[in-house]
Amino acid sequence: RVLEYLNENYYIDTTDEGFMVKFAVHIHNLLMRLENEYTAKNPLTDHIKNSCPLIFECAVGVANCLNQMTGYRIDEDEIAYIALHIGGNLENYREKKEKLSCIIVCPHYYNMPELLVEKISAEFSERLLVRAVLTQESELAKMEKADFIISTTAFTEERPHAVTINPFLRENDLEKIRKEIAIIQKERKKDTLREALEKMTTPEMFYKNPDCGNRKKALEFMIRVMQEKGYADDKFMEKVEERERHSSTAFGRLAVPHAMELNAQKTGIGIMLNEKGVEWEGQTVNLILLFAINKEDRSMFHEVFDNLIVLLLENQNLDRVLQSTDYESFLESIMCCE
């Protein structure tokens, strides 16, 4: 049941025997600890939760599956250990999904193009997919556009995301490629985030400084609107509270409440900015993003959830967003975050 949950909700490759064996052994040992009322402390819990929110959320889902089957309540330290096991598998899926397409331009002299492709593939196989090798720049006009162009000769015209390298691929050439990959990936993440936010948010679910001083009042207010707009059913509050009992969804001054199961009637995000702050299980949060997610949009949820939390954990970014006066300025402030 746990493996089915991981595959259906987070695209975890459950056919990977190495992962399955180690994961099964870990779950077995976890259940033995719980049976004997012992919990292993984890010094990395806060770091994992804050730096890898999607992986941690996936682990919370596993903990919920185990809770439903065994009755054992699993604490945050043990959830973080589960996250360590599934993290590599989830990251592998994301890396494959985020690979950039690349065209290499290199004059055909002896076996120089073959050697260059071999070196680039060896160094960047997890981040670049070499789509074609051309002998001259003019051939680019006939090719389908790629994310990235690498050439051993100078370009005759300005081209976006193109680098010129030494045909012998020195260390400074590798650094040029690394920097350009980072720039492209950052741009792509922002474009993807904007597109997803525009699909998942609406002005009618944006609220600035409503009179909601604590978590319960804020959730009741936001969920009532979601139900009226057809995003959630009458049990949504109960589902959100159940997720909260497993592990707080507050990350510093940001809270991202949601239901454990991605079965909302339709996908949407409620946005509440509160400059005075909302009391949230001993913390004070200034921004609440309430997620209602339909299962068909789980991939979009992954993109927004992870990228948005990591972005808004930076105080300067959150402060910029809190200055938003309306829905449009909120979206723009997110896109200006570094």
Side-chain angles (χ1 to χ4, degrees):
R1 277 179 59 180
V2 169
L3 292 174
E4 284 176 4
Y5 170 82
L6 289 173
N7 186 257
E8 289 177 9
N9 292 282
Y10 291 92
Y11 309 104
I12 295 287
D13 181 10
T14 54
T15 63
D16 181 341
E17 188 175 347
F19 162 73
M20 282 180 58
V21 171
K22 290 176 183 177
F23 186 61
V25 170
H26 176 76
I27 296 300
H28 171 76
N29 292 337
L30 167 61
L31 294 176
M32 291 292 287
R33 288 196 295 275
L34 293 171
E35 189 176 329
N36 289 281
E37 299 181 352
Y38 173 77
T39 297
K41 292 298 176 184
N42 192 334
L44 296 174
T45 298
D46 288 340
H47 177 70
I48 293 170
K49 183 177 180 180
N50 292 328
S51 62
C52 311
L54 184 64
I55 292 172
F56 190 84
E57 185 60 32
C58 180
V60 171
V62 171
N64 182 56
C65 289
L66 295 172
N67 174 246
Q68 290 177 353
M69 289 185 282
T70 67
Y72 292 130
R73 179 70 65 175
I74 299 169
D75 67 17
E76 282 196 340
D77 286 327
E78 291 286 10
I79 289 173
Y81 278 120
I82 295 172
L84 286 172
H85 275 269
I86 60 181
N89 197 304
L90 186 56
E91 285 300 297
N92 286 341
Y93 164 76
R94 295 178 68 181
E95 282 175 0
K96 288 176 184 174
K97 186 181 174 186
E98 293 171 4
K99 267 191 176 182
L100 303 178
S101 60
C102 168
I103 293 175
I104 295 174
V105 181
C106 179
H108 195 46
Y109 187 72
Y110 289 110
N111 61 343
M112 192 176 288
E114 291 82 358
L115 288 174
L116 187 61
V117 170
E118 189 178 313
K119 287 180 181 179
I120 289 174
S121 297
E123 186 70 29
F124 301 103
S125 60
E126 294 182 353
R127 290 182 283 176
L128 286 181
L129 177 65
V130 179
R131 182 188 291 169
V133 182
L134 310 179
T135 58
Q136 51 190 355
E137 184 184 357
S138 59
E139 295 177 65
L140 287 169
K142 302 174 186 177
M143 295 295 298
E144 185 181 339
K145 187 180 177 183
D147 297 308
F148 197 19
I149 303 170
I150 300 171
S151 176
T152 59
T153 58
F155 292 99
T156 59
E157 60 181 273
E158 190 173 333
R159 295 182 180 277
H161 302 310
V163 295
T164 306
I165 61 167
N166 187 300
F168 301 107
L169 202 63
R170 306 299 186 193
E171 180 56 39
N172 65 318
D173 298 310
L174 294 174
E175 188 57 32
K176 278 185 188 179
I177 296 173
R178 290 188 195 104
K179 285 182 178 178
E180 197 61 39
I181 288 173
I183 290 169
I184 298 169
Q185 288 179 330
K186 187 176 181 180
E187 287 179 3
R188 180 183 277 188
K189 275 188 176 181
K190 282 205 170 185
D191 290 343
T192 302
L193 183 58
R194 174 185 279 278
E195 184 181 341
L197 282 174
E198 287 175 347
K199 287 180 180 177
M200 298 170 74
T201 60
T202 62
E204 63 188 6
M205 290 201 295
F206 175 89
Y207 325 104
K208 181 79 183 272
N209 294 328
D211 185 19
C212 300
N214 60 52
R215 178 176 65 84
K216 187 176 180 183
K217 286 183 179 179
L219 287 177
E220 285 176 346
F221 172 78
M222 297 175 81
I223 288 173
R224 183 172 65 252
V225 177
M226 277 196 160
Q227 290 169 336
E228 290 171 358
K229 304 295 182 183
Y231 288 87
D233 59 24
D234 56 4
K235 293 185 177 179
F236 192 55
M237 182 70 176
E238 182 183 327
K239 294 173 184 176
V240 170
E241 291 284 20
E242 173 59 23
R243 165 61 187 84
E244 206 68 34
R245 281 192 286 274
H246 281 281
S247 171
S248 173
T249 58
F251 294 79
R253 296 190 292 151
L254 166 71
V256 286
H258 56 281
M260 190 78 67
E261 297 176 358
L262 309 181
N263 58 2
Q265 292 169 315
K266 59 180 181 177
T267 295
I269 303 175
I271 305 159
M272 180 185 288
L273 278 64
N274 195 308
E275 291 169 308
K276 289 183 179 179
V278 174
E279 190 279 323
W280 198 284
E281 299 299 316
Q283 293 180 253
T284 300
V285 302
N286 300 105
L287 174 59
I288 302 171
L289 301 174
L290 174 63
F291 287 81
I293 307 296
N294 181 279
K295 194 167 187 176
E296 295 301 314
D297 296 318
R298 61 192 182 281
S299 180
M300 190 162 53
F301 166 65
H302 294 172
E303 294 284 354
V304 171
F305 189 80
D306 215 30
N307 293 333
L308 208 51
I309 292 175
V310 172
L311 206 63
L312 295 174
L313 278 174
E314 298 292 335
N315 279 324
Q316 67 269 24
N317 289 338
L318 185 57
D319 288 338
R320 179 186 286 113
V321 170
L322 289 174
Q323 292 172 19
S324 307
T325 55
D326 55 25
Y327 171 75
E328 291 299 333
S329 60
F330 170 79
L331 286 185
E332 286 307 312
S333 65
I334 292 287
M335 292 305 109
C336 290
C337 291
E338 293 297 329

mmCIF file of all heavy atoms in Angstrom, residues 44-86:
data_model
loop_
_atom_site.group_PDB
_atom_site.id
_atom_site.type_symbol
_atom_site.label_atom_id
_atom_site.label_comp_id
_atom_site.label_asym_id
_atom_site.label_seq_id
_atom_site.Cartn_x
_atom_site.Cartn_y
_atom_site.Cartn_z
ATOM 1 N N LEU A 44 18.764 16.024 11.675
ATOM 2 C CA LEU A 44 18.563 16.695 10.383
ATOM 3 C C LEU A 44 17.102 17.067 10.107
ATOM 4 O O LEU A 44 16.784 17.561 9.028
ATOM 5 C CB LEU A 44 19.063 15.788 9.248
ATOM 6 C CG LEU A 44 20.560 15.473 9.230
ATOM 7 C CD1 LEU A 44 20.863 14.449 8.144
ATOM 8 C CD2 LEU A 44 21.366 16.739 8.994
ATOM 9 N N THR A 45 16.221 16.838 11.074
ATOM 10 C CA THR A 45 14.783 17.022 10.830
ATOM 11 C C THR A 45 14.441 18.409 10.291
ATOM 12 O O THR A 45 13.819 18.541 9.234
ATOM 13 C CB THR A 45 13.976 16.753 12.119
ATOM 14 O OG1 THR A 45 14.180 15.396 12.514
ATOM 15 C CG2 THR A 45 12.488 16.979 11.879
ATOM 16 N N ASP A 46 14.841 19.464 10.999
ATOM 17 C CA ASP A 46 14.499 20.826 10.571
ATOM 18 C C ASP A 46 15.126 21.162 9.223
ATOM 19 O O ASP A 46 14.493 21.808 8.372
ATOM 20 C CB ASP A 46 14.953 21.849 11.618
ATOM 21 C CG ASP A 46 14.103 21.805 12.874
ATOM 22 O OD1 ASP A 46 12.968 21.292 12.798
ATOM 23 O OD2 ASP A 46 14.562 22.260 13.937
ATOM 24 N N HIS A 47 16.360 20.707 9.021
ATOM 25 C CA HIS A 47 17.038 20.990 7.756
ATOM 26 C C HIS A 47 16.317 20.331 6.583
ATOM 27 O O HIS A 47 16.094 20.963 5.545
ATOM 28 C CB HIS A 47 18.481 20.490 7.824
ATOM 29 C CG HIS A 47 19.241 20.678 6.541
ATOM 30 N ND1 HIS A 47 19.623 21.920 6.074
ATOM 31 C CD2 HIS A 47 19.658 19.775 5.599
ATOM 32 C CE1 HIS A 47 20.245 21.786 4.919
ATOM 33 N NE2 HIS A 47 20.281 20.505 4.612
ATOM 34 N N ILE A 48 15.931 19.074 6.745
ATOM 35 C CA ILE A 48 15.232 18.353 5.669
ATOM 36 C C ILE A 48 13.879 18.999 5.391
ATOM 37 O O ILE A 48 13.493 19.224 4.241
ATOM 38 C CB ILE A 48 15.054 16.861 6.036
ATOM 39 C CG1 ILE A 48 16.410 16.161 6.088
ATOM 40 C CG2 ILE A 48 14.135 16.158 5.025
ATOM 41 C CD1 ILE A 48 16.353 14.763 6.672
ATOM 42 N N LYS A 49 13.157 19.321 6.445
ATOM 43 C CA LYS A 49 11.814 19.903 6.292
ATOM 44 C C LYS A 49 11.869 21.235 5.552
ATOM 45 O O LYS A 49 11.042 21.511 4.680
ATOM 46 C CB LYS A 49 11.169 20.077 7.665
ATOM 47 C CG LYS A 49 9.736 20.602 7.612
ATOM 48 C CD LYS A 49 9.129 20.674 9.001
ATOM 49 C CE LYS A 49 7.690 21.201 8.931
ATOM 50 N NZ LYS A 49 7.069 21.294 10.262
ATOM 51 N N ASN A 50 12.856 22.064 5.894
ATOM 52 C CA ASN A 50 12.930 23.405 5.307
ATOM 53 C C ASN A 50 13.605 23.454 3.947
ATOM 54 O O ASN A 50 13.267 24.294 3.114
ATOM 55 C CB ASN A 50 13.661 24.350 6.270
ATOM 56 C CG ASN A 50 12.863 24.617 7.530
ATOM 57 O OD1 ASN A 50 11.640 24.644 7.500
ATOM 58 N ND2 ASN A 50 13.539 24.780 8.645
ATOM 59 N N SER A 51 14.570 22.574 3.706
ATOM 60 C CA SER A 51 15.300 22.630 2.435
ATOM 61 C C SER A 51 14.705 21.711 1.370
ATOM 62 O O SER A 51 14.902 21.934 0.178
ATOM 63 C CB SER A 51 16.781 22.282 2.645
ATOM 64 O OG SER A 51 16.925 20.957 3.127
ATOM 65 N N CYS A 52 13.969 20.677 1.798
ATOM 66 C CA CYS A 52 13.373 19.723 0.838
ATOM 67 C C CYS A 52 11.903 19.492 1.198
ATOM 68 O O CYS A 52 11.507 18.375 1.570
ATOM 69 C CB CYS A 52 14.127 18.391 0.859
ATOM 70 S SG CYS A 52 15.915 18.527 0.742
ATOM 71 N N PRO A 53 11.070 20.539 1.131
ATOM 72 C CA PRO A 53 9.679 20.412 1.599
ATOM 73 C C PRO A 53 8.865 19.347 0.884
ATOM 74 O O PRO A 53 8.042 18.676 1.507
ATOM 75 C CB PRO A 53 9.094 21.809 1.375
ATOM 76 C CG PRO A 53 10.044 22.509 0.462
ATOM 77 C CD PRO A 53 11.379 21.903 0.687
ATOM 78 N N LEU A 54 9.078 19.154 -0.424
ATOM 79 C CA LEU A 54 8.284 18.153 -1.143
ATOM 80 C C LEU A 54 8.663 16.744 -0.706
ATOM 81 O O LEU A 54 7.793 15.882 -0.541
ATOM 82 C CB LEU A 54 8.465 18.299 -2.659
ATOM 83 C CG LEU A 54 7.602 17.354 -3.495
ATOM 84 C CD1 LEU A 54 6.123 17.656 -3.310
ATOM 85 C CD2 LEU A 54 7.968 17.424 -4.965
ATOM 86 N N ILE A 55 9.956 16.498 -0.521
ATOM 87 C CA ILE A 55 10.409 15.180 -0.056
ATOM 88 C C ILE A 55 9.855 14.907 1.339
ATOM 89 O O ILE A 55 9.384 13.800 1.630
ATOM 90 C CB ILE A 55 11.953 15.107 -0.061
ATOM 91 C CG1 ILE A 55 12.471 15.147 -1.501
ATOM 92 C CG2 ILE A 55 12.450 13.851 0.637
ATOM 93 C CD1 ILE A 55 13.972 15.280 -1.616
ATOM 94 N N PHE A 56 9.887 15.927 2.198
ATOM 95 C CA PHE A 56 9.345 15.765 3.553
ATOM 96 C C PHE A 56 7.843 15.496 3.495
ATOM 97 O O PHE A 56 7.326 14.647 4.218
ATOM 98 C CB PHE A 56 9.630 17.007 4.393
ATOM 99 C CG PHE A 56 9.324 16.836 5.854
ATOM 100 C CD1 PHE A 56 10.249 16.253 6.704
ATOM 101 C CD2 PHE A 56 8.109 17.248 6.379
ATOM 102 C CE1 PHE A 56 9.967 16.078 8.056
ATOM 103 C CE2 PHE A 56 7.806 17.072 7.716
ATOM 104 C CZ PHE A 56 8.740 16.491 8.576
ATOM 105 N N GLU A 57 7.147 16.211 2.600
ATOM 106 C CA GLU A 57 5.701 16.015 2.458
ATOM 107 C C GLU A 57 5.391 14.588 1.997
ATOM 108 O O GLU A 57 4.431 13.973 2.455
ATOM 109 C CB GLU A 57 5.138 17.024 1.467
ATOM 110 C CG GLU A 57 3.628 16.995 1.333
ATOM 111 C CD GLU A 57 2.910 17.292 2.636
ATOM 112 O OE1 GLU A 57 3.445 18.069 3.459
ATOM 113 O OE2 GLU A 57 1.814 16.756 2.847
ATOM 114 N N CYS A 58 6.209 14.078 1.096
ATOM 115 C CA CYS A 58 6.058 12.696 0.627
ATOM 116 C C CYS A 58 6.208 11.731 1.802
ATOM 117 O O CYS A 58 5.439 10.766 1.937
ATOM 118 C CB CYS A 58 7.103 12.419 -0.448
ATOM 119 S SG CYS A 58 7.054 10.764 -1.140
ATOM 120 N N ALA A 59 7.189 11.990 2.662
ATOM 121 C CA ALA A 59 7.415 11.142 3.832
ATOM 122 C C ALA A 59 6.250 11.228 4.820
ATOM 123 O O ALA A 59 5.892 10.233 5.463
ATOM 124 C CB ALA A 59 8.720 11.547 4.515
ATOM 125 N N VAL A 60 5.630 12.407 4.936
ATOM 126 C CA VAL A 60 4.446 12.555 5.790
ATOM 127 C C VAL A 60 3.325 11.652 5.264
ATOM 128 O O VAL A 60 2.600 11.017 6.032
ATOM 129 C CB VAL A 60 3.974 14.024 5.841
ATOM 130 C CG1 VAL A 60 2.618 14.132 6.544
ATOM 131 C CG2 VAL A 60 4.999 14.885 6.569
ATOM 132 N N GLY A 61 3.202 11.588 3.932
ATOM 133 C CA GLY A 61 2.190 10.714 3.335
ATOM 134 C C GLY A 61 2.438 9.253 3.665
ATOM 135 O O GLY A 61 1.500 8.490 3.937
ATOM 136 N N VAL A 62 3.704 8.845 3.653
ATOM 137 C CA VAL A 62 4.057 7.463 4.021
ATOM 138 C C VAL A 62 3.690 7.214 5.483
ATOM 139 O O VAL A 62 3.119 6.173 5.824
ATOM 140 C CB VAL A 62 5.568 7.213 3.804
ATOM 141 C CG1 VAL A 62 5.982 5.870 4.386
ATOM 142 C CG2 VAL A 62 5.908 7.270 2.322
ATOM 143 N N ALA A 63 4.017 8.196 6.347
ATOM 144 C CA ALA A 63 3.694 8.064 7.768
ATOM 145 C C ALA A 63 2.186 7.922 7.973
ATOM 146 O O ALA A 63 1.725 7.143 8.824
ATOM 147 C CB ALA A 63 4.216 9.280 8.543
ATOM 148 N N ASN A 64 1.411 8.653 7.177
ATOM 149 C CA ASN A 64 -0.045 8.556 7.274
ATOM 150 C C ASN A 64 -0.538 7.171 6.848
ATOM 151 O O ASN A 64 -1.428 6.601 7.481
ATOM 152 C CB ASN A 64 -0.691 9.632 6.401
ATOM 153 C CG ASN A 64 -2.198 9.610 6.486
ATOM 154 O OD1 ASN A 64 -2.773 9.701 7.564
ATOM 155 N ND2 ASN A 64 -2.856 9.475 5.337
ATOM 156 N N CYS A 65 0.037 6.622 5.773
ATOM 157 C CA CYS A 65 -0.324 5.262 5.337
ATOM 158 C C CYS A 65 -0.073 4.256 6.460
ATOM 159 O O CYS A 65 -0.915 3.402 6.755
ATOM 160 C CB CYS A 65 0.493 4.854 4.112
ATOM 161 S SG CYS A 65 0.063 5.685 2.585
ATOM 162 N N LEU A 66 1.110 4.364 7.076
ATOM 163 C CA LEU A 66 1.468 3.440 8.160
ATOM 164 C C LEU A 66 0.554 3.631 9.358
ATOM 165 O O LEU A 66 0.162 2.659 10.020
ATOM 166 C CB LEU A 66 2.931 3.657 8.563
ATOM 167 C CG LEU A 66 3.974 3.315 7.497
ATOM 168 C CD1 LEU A 66 5.362 3.760 7.942
ATOM 169 C CD2 LEU A 66 3.974 1.813 7.197
ATOM 170 N N ASN A 67 0.197 4.879 9.647
ATOM 171 C CA ASN A 67 -0.710 5.164 10.751
ATOM 172 C C ASN A 67 -2.073 4.525 10.532
ATOM 173 O O ASN A 67 -2.658 3.936 11.444
ATOM 174 C CB ASN A 67 -0.838 6.682 10.918
ATOM 175 C CG ASN A 67 -1.872 7.073 11.962
ATOM 176 O OD1 ASN A 67 -2.900 7.671 11.642
ATOM 177 N ND2 ASN A 67 -1.621 6.735 13.208
ATOM 178 N N GLN A 68 -2.582 4.616 9.301
ATOM 179 C CA GLN A 68 -3.884 4.025 8.986
ATOM 180 C C GLN A 68 -3.862 2.502 9.124
ATOM 181 O O GLN A 68 -4.844 1.889 9.541
ATOM 182 C CB GLN A 68 -4.295 4.410 7.567
ATOM 183 C CG GLN A 68 -4.661 5.878 7.414
ATOM 184 C CD GLN A 68 -4.996 6.241 5.977
ATOM 185 O OE1 GLN A 68 -4.839 5.429 5.064
ATOM 186 N NE2 GLN A 68 -5.450 7.465 5.767
ATOM 187 N N MET A 69 -2.724 1.881 8.789
ATOM 188 C CA MET A 69 -2.636 0.412 8.822
ATOM 189 C C MET A 69 -2.291 -0.152 10.202
ATOM 190 O O MET A 69 -2.688 -1.255 10.532
ATOM 191 C CB MET A 69 -1.603 -0.062 7.802
ATOM 192 C CG MET A 69 -2.034 0.105 6.357
ATOM 193 S SD MET A 69 -0.834 -0.592 5.191
ATOM 194 C CE MET A 69 0.412 0.683 5.171
ATOM 195 N N THR A 70 -1.523 0.622 10.979
ATOM 196 C CA THR A 70 -1.027 0.080 12.253
ATOM 197 C C THR A 70 -1.551 0.802 13.491
ATOM 198 O O THR A 70 -1.495 0.254 14.595
ATOM 199 C CB THR A 70 0.518 0.152 12.301
ATOM 200 O OG1 THR A 70 0.922 1.527 12.349
ATOM 201 C CG2 THR A 70 1.134 -0.519 11.075
ATOM 202 N N GLY A 71 -2.020 2.050 13.299
ATOM 203 C CA GLY A 71 -2.459 2.828 14.446
ATOM 204 C C GLY A 71 -1.345 3.609 15.110
ATOM 205 O O GLY A 71 -1.589 4.436 15.990
ATOM 206 N N TYR A 72 -0.092 3.368 14.701
ATOM 207 C CA TYR A 72 1.035 4.087 15.295
ATOM 208 C C TYR A 72 1.133 5.503 14.741
ATOM 209 O O TYR A 72 1.075 5.705 13.535
ATOM 210 C CB TYR A 72 2.361 3.372 14.997
ATOM 211 C CG TYR A 72 2.514 2.031 15.690
ATOM 212 C CD1 TYR A 72 2.885 0.896 14.960
ATOM 213 C CD2 TYR A 72 2.309 1.895 17.060
ATOM 214 C CE1 TYR A 72 3.036 -0.338 15.573
ATOM 215 C CE2 TYR A 72 2.459 0.663 17.683
ATOM 216 C CZ TYR A 72 2.821 -0.448 16.935
ATOM 217 O OH TYR A 72 2.976 -1.668 17.551
ATOM 218 N N ARG A 73 1.309 6.473 15.640
ATOM 219 C CA ARG A 73 1.538 7.855 15.230
ATOM 220 C C ARG A 73 3.042 8.073 15.098
ATOM 221 O O ARG A 73 3.786 7.788 16.024
ATOM 222 C CB ARG A 73 0.952 8.817 16.266
ATOM 223 C CG ARG A 73 1.143 10.291 15.960
ATOM 224 C CD ARG A 73 0.311 10.753 14.784
ATOM 225 N NE ARG A 73 -1.114 10.692 15.027
ATOM 226 C CZ ARG A 73 -2.022 11.140 14.176
ATOM 227 N NH1 ARG A 73 -1.641 11.647 13.016
ATOM 228 N NH2 ARG A 73 -3.309 11.039 14.441
ATOM 229 N N ILE A 74 3.490 8.535 13.951
ATOM 230 C CA ILE A 74 4.921 8.667 13.669
ATOM 231 C C ILE A 74 5.325 10.132 13.788
ATOM 232 O O ILE A 74 4.720 11.002 13.165
ATOM 233 C CB ILE A 74 5.238 8.111 12.259
ATOM 234 C CG1 ILE A 74 4.863 6.632 12.212
ATOM 235 C CG2 ILE A 74 6.701 8.310 11.897
ATOM 236 C CD1 ILE A 74 4.876 6.030 10.831
ATOM 237 N N ASP A 75 6.359 10.413 14.600
ATOM 238 C CA ASP A 75 6.739 11.803 14.850
ATOM 239 C C ASP A 75 7.645 12.352 13.743
ATOM 240 O O ASP A 75 8.052 11.637 12.830
ATOM 241 C CB ASP A 75 7.394 11.956 16.231
ATOM 242 C CG ASP A 75 8.752 11.262 16.345
ATOM 243 O OD1 ASP A 75 9.354 10.929 15.305
ATOM 244 O OD2 ASP A 75 9.218 11.071 17.486
ATOM 245 N N GLU A 76 7.964 13.655 13.842
ATOM 246 C CA GLU A 76 8.717 14.337 12.786
ATOM 247 C C GLU A 76 10.119 13.768 12.589
ATOM 248 O O GLU A 76 10.629 13.745 11.472
ATOM 249 C CB GLU A 76 8.805 15.839 13.082
ATOM 250 C CG GLU A 76 7.537 16.607 12.756
ATOM 251 C CD GLU A 76 7.778 18.112 12.692
ATOM 252 O OE1 GLU A 76 8.794 18.577 13.248
ATOM 253 O OE2 GLU A 76 6.950 18.811 12.080
ATOM 254 N N ASP A 77 10.773 13.337 13.678
ATOM 255 C CA ASP A 77 12.124 12.782 13.547
ATOM 256 C C ASP A 77 12.113 11.525 12.693
ATOM 257 O O ASP A 77 12.965 11.331 11.814
ATOM 258 C CB ASP A 77 12.717 12.472 14.931
ATOM 259 C CG ASP A 77 13.135 13.731 15.678
ATOM 260 O OD1 ASP A 77 13.554 14.691 15.006
ATOM 261 O OD2 ASP A 77 13.043 13.761 16.912
ATOM 262 N N GLU A 78 11.132 10.661 12.936
ATOM 263 C CA GLU A 78 11.037 9.424 12.146
ATOM 264 C C GLU A 78 10.595 9.725 10.708
ATOM 265 O O GLU A 78 11.028 9.069 9.764
ATOM 266 C CB GLU A 78 10.065 8.437 12.803
ATOM 267 C CG GLU A 78 10.547 7.838 14.127
ATOM 268 C CD GLU A 78 11.646 6.789 13.939
ATOM 269 O OE1 GLU A 78 12.175 6.649 12.815
ATOM 270 O OE2 GLU A 78 11.977 6.106 14.926
ATOM 271 N N ILE A 79 9.743 10.731 10.555
ATOM 272 C CA ILE A 79 9.323 11.139 9.207
ATOM 273 C C ILE A 79 10.540 11.608 8.408
ATOM 274 O O ILE A 79 10.683 11.310 7.222
ATOM 275 C CB ILE A 79 8.255 12.252 9.285
ATOM 276 C CG1 ILE A 79 6.925 11.676 9.800
ATOM 277 C CG2 ILE A 79 8.041 12.906 7.914
ATOM 278 C CD1 ILE A 79 5.859 12.717 10.083
ATOM 279 N N ALA A 80 11.433 12.336 9.063
ATOM 280 C CA ALA A 80 12.639 12.822 8.393
ATOM 281 C C ALA A 80 13.542 11.662 7.948
ATOM 282 O O ALA A 80 14.183 11.741 6.895
ATOM 283 C CB ALA A 80 13.408 13.771 9.308
ATOM 284 N N TYR A 81 13.596 10.580 8.740
ATOM 285 C CA TYR A 81 14.373 9.399 8.328
ATOM 286 C C TYR A 81 13.750 8.747 7.090
ATOM 287 O O TYR A 81 14.446 8.290 6.189
ATOM 288 C CB TYR A 81 14.466 8.381 9.469
ATOM 289 C CG TYR A 81 15.556 8.690 10.476
ATOM 290 C CD1 TYR A 81 15.250 8.907 11.810
ATOM 291 C CD2 TYR A 81 16.888 8.768 10.082
ATOM 292 C CE1 TYR A 81 16.236 9.196 12.742
ATOM 293 C CE2 TYR A 81 17.887 9.062 11.005
ATOM 294 C CZ TYR A 81 17.557 9.274 12.326
ATOM 295 O OH TYR A 81 18.547 9.561 13.227
ATOM 296 N N ILE A 82 12.414 8.708 7.048
ATOM 297 C CA ILE A 82 11.733 8.187 5.856
ATOM 298 C C ILE A 82 12.086 9.053 4.648
ATOM 299 O O ILE A 82 12.352 8.553 3.548
ATOM 300 C CB ILE A 82 10.199 8.157 6.066
ATOM 301 C CG1 ILE A 82 9.824 7.165 7.186
ATOM 302 C CG2 ILE A 82 9.476 7.777 4.767
ATOM 303 C CD1 ILE A 82 8.355 7.211 7.578
ATOM 304 N N ALA A 83 12.116 10.382 4.860
ATOM 305 C CA ALA A 83 12.453 11.318 3.781
ATOM 306 C C ALA A 83 13.846 11.035 3.221
ATOM 307 O O ALA A 83 14.070 11.128 2.009
ATOM 308 C CB ALA A 83 12.365 12.756 4.290
ATOM 309 N N LEU A 84 14.792 10.690 4.085
ATOM 310 C CA LEU A 84 16.151 10.382 3.622
ATOM 311 C C LEU A 84 16.144 9.186 2.677
ATOM 312 O O LEU A 84 16.909 9.140 1.711
ATOM 313 C CB LEU A 84 17.065 10.086 4.826
ATOM 314 C CG LEU A 84 17.489 11.298 5.656
ATOM 315 C CD1 LEU A 84 18.228 10.845 6.911
ATOM 316 C CD2 LEU A 84 18.377 12.233 4.842
ATOM 317 N N HIS A 85 15.273 8.218 2.923
ATOM 318 C CA HIS A 85 15.223 7.019 2.082
ATOM 319 C C HIS A 85 14.577 7.285 0.728
ATOM 320 O O HIS A 85 15.030 6.766 -0.292
ATOM 321 C CB HIS A 85 14.464 5.894 2.810
ATOM 322 C CG HIS A 85 15.336 5.105 3.729
ATOM 323 N ND1 HIS A 85 16.012 3.971 3.347
ATOM 324 C CD2 HIS A 85 15.673 5.325 5.021
ATOM 325 C CE1 HIS A 85 16.718 3.520 4.362
ATOM 326 N NE2 HIS A 85 16.528 4.316 5.392
ATOM 327 N N ILE A 86 13.512 8.080 0.715
ATOM 328 C CA ILE A 86 12.796 8.276 -0.551
ATOM 329 C C ILE A 86 13.337 9.466 -1.336
ATOM 330 O O ILE A 86 13.045 9.619 -2.518
ATOM 331 C CB ILE A 86 11.281 8.474 -0.312
ATOM 332 C CG1 ILE A 86 11.026 9.696 0.573
ATOM 333 C CG2 ILE A 86 10.664 7.222 0.282
ATOM 334 C CD1 ILE A 86 9.566 9.926 0.868
#
